[in-house]
Amino acid sequence: MAAIAAYKYIGSKDKNAVDKAAVQALETILRFAPIKTKIVIGEGELDQAPMLYVGQELGQGQDFTFELAVDPIEGTYPAAYNIAGSIAVLAAAKPKTMIYLPEMYMEKLFVSQELANVIDLKKDKPRNQAAINILRQYGIIVRLIGDGDVLAAIDVVNQEADFVYGIGGAPEGVLMAALAISSCANMQARLISYQDI
């Protein structure tokens, strides 16, 4: 529903309109859903979002509360400019199983099951360009992305890429970790403060 609501703003060059439409649609669906939910990773702490904020409880259910990590539009810039690479994302987990992360950066390495025991984030160089140079020396095709960590991780699951490496938002890292768990892939990560970037 978030993706459908945002559709009319695709190509509008207004990423706030894209995001607002998606957030409102997802919040409305969750508010009236027949299950109880609590937002653990939600819309930006930094912009003090009025909907889908961390700690918000939604839903009409009577049973235990599912914890949610949501990103109604991951990749608002591509959506606003009608470029491929946006996705609406929601991950659900049992209570007290999803980690809350503040707004900060995360170095992320998401690999397929086949590469899980071969690649180790501790062995990678700290800067993306150095890592890219090494990969290219070995004949590895490197595809650079500006936005869309989760969508890139889905490419790994779909065997359209071997791994995703980069530094991006920590909340998206939680969504990627949920994907890794549910698809038997592997993910390693390190938190990095905004000041260190």
Side-chain angles (χ1 to χ4, degrees):
M1 293 309 295
I4 291 169
Y7 183 75
K8 63 182 163 192
Y9 299 103
I10 301 297
S12 68
K13 299 185 178 153
D14 186 349
K15 66 180 198 161
N16 291 332
V18 170
D19 194 49
K20 183 178 179 182
V23 168
Q24 287 177 339
L26 185 55
E27 199 266 354
T28 300
I29 293 295
L30 291 173
R31 188 175 347 122
F32 296 107
I35 58 170
K36 287 171 64 178
T37 59
K38 180 178 181 180
I39 306 295
V40 177
I41 299 291
E43 282 299 285
E45 240 172 68
L46 296 178
D47 15 332
Q48 299 174 331
M51 289 188 263
L52 300 179
Y53 56 85
V54 173
Q56 183 178 12
E57 294 185 4
L58 298 158
Q60 308 292 318
Q62 301 301 318
D63 297 329
F64 71 89
T65 302
F66 286 93
E67 293 182 342
L68 299 181
V70 299
D71 196 346
I73 295 290
E74 203 247 339
T76 53
Y77 180 87
Y81 286 85
N82 199 19
I83 302 168
S86 300
I87 188 170
V89 187
L90 181 147
K94 294 187 279 187
K96 300 186 183 346
T97 60
M98 193 175 289
I99 188 169
Y100 161 76
L101 292 174
E103 289 272 349
M104 60 188 310
Y105 284 119
M106 178 185 283
E107 185 177 21
K108 298 173 257 194
L109 177 63
F110 187 101
V111 301
S112 63
Q113 192 173 18
E114 293 79 23
L115 297 177
N117 297 320
V118 178
I119 297 176
D120 189 338
L121 189 57
K122 294 182 205 122
K123 296 177 184 173
D124 287 330
K125 301 295 180 189
R127 302 177 71 155
N128 285 354
Q129 193 57 53
I132 289 168
N133 292 341
I134 291 169
L135 292 169
R136 286 185 172 149
Q137 285 174 7
Y138 284 102
I140 296 170
I141 297 169
V142 177
R143 182 178 66 183
L144 302 177
I145 58 169
D147 294 296
D149 298 0
V150 178
L151 196 56
I154 291 171
D155 284 347
V156 173
V157 173
N158 289 338
Q159 298 181 338
E160 295 170 15
D162 294 316
F163 65 90
V164 175
Y165 169 79
I167 296 173
E172 289 81 6
V174 173
L175 291 161
M176 291 171 71
L179 176 62
I181 291 167
S182 63
S183 65
C184 297
N186 182 279
M187 183 174 166
Q188 299 176 33
R190 285 192 283 242
L191 292 173
I192 303 173
S193 70
Y194 286 137
Q195 295 76 21
D196 291 338
I197 296 297

